[in-house]
Amino acid sequence: MQNKTTQKKLQRERRHRRIRSRLAGTRETPRLVVFRSNKFIYAQLIDDDKGVTIAEANSMKASKGKTAGNVLAATKIGIELAEKAKAKKVSKVVFDRGGYIYTGRVKALAEAARKGGLEF
């Protein structure tokens, strides 16, 4: 028998697999992937054709190891990722919420990336 935490993690992984079956990133429109832990939030732009990461940003680097898993940190990461994407001449992306509900930190990161110039 699984505990509640393990069950929630498995459900999120199933949702993520279902989402990934429909989404794929290319060089022109990479996939913006969000991973959210209890302490930090991570975002990457991935070209699935080549299997490479184009740009990445996370709150662990930005906060220098301190806990930074809040909406403000997610907003900063969204803006930082958008700037890195502009430097790589990427303006359109496909948003992959990673099986997480589109609210709170995930929503803040997405809106900040849009405000920073990414289209999705």
Side-chain angles (χ1 to χ4, degrees):
M1 188 170 142
Q2 298 168 340
N3 62 18
K4 194 172 185 177
T5 307
T6 307
Q7 188 64 32
K8 286 175 83 170
K9 183 179 177 187
L10 288 174
Q11 288 173 340
R12 184 197 72 81
E13 288 172 356
R14 284 187 198 120
R15 279 192 305 271
H16 192 206
R17 272 189 300 231
R18 193 167 52 238
I19 291 167
R20 284 285 294 120
S21 70
R22 297 181 208 134
L23 292 180
T26 63
R27 176 69 184 121
E28 294 79 31
T29 58
R31 182 168 51 99
L32 192 164
V33 185
V34 175
F35 177 74
R36 177 181 66 109
S37 72
N38 287 336
K39 288 186 176 183
F40 304 108
I41 189 156
Y42 308 82
Q44 300 180 69
L45 292 177
I46 298 177
D47 175 2
D48 288 316
D49 292 341
K50 291 185 179 177
V52 295
T53 300
I54 298 169
E56 61 82 29
N58 64 64
S59 61
M60 189 169 17
K61 285 182 183 175
S63 67
K64 295 182 178 50
K66 298 176 189 159
T67 302
N70 56 19
V71 173
L72 181 62
T75 304
K76 289 179 183 177
I77 297 310
I79 292 170
E80 182 183 333
L81 188 68
E83 289 171 359
K84 288 181 179 182
K86 279 185 188 176
K88 302 272 184 161
K89 295 183 173 64
V90 173
S91 60
K92 282 191 162 189
V93 297
V94 177
F95 187 67
D96 179 1
R97 60 188 172 88
Y100 300 107
I101 299 169
Y102 187 79
T103 187
R105 292 185 281 163
V106 175
K107 184 177 180 181
L109 189 143
E111 289 177 352
R114 281 191 189 105
K115 202 175 282 187
L118 292 180
E119 295 176 32
F120 56 95

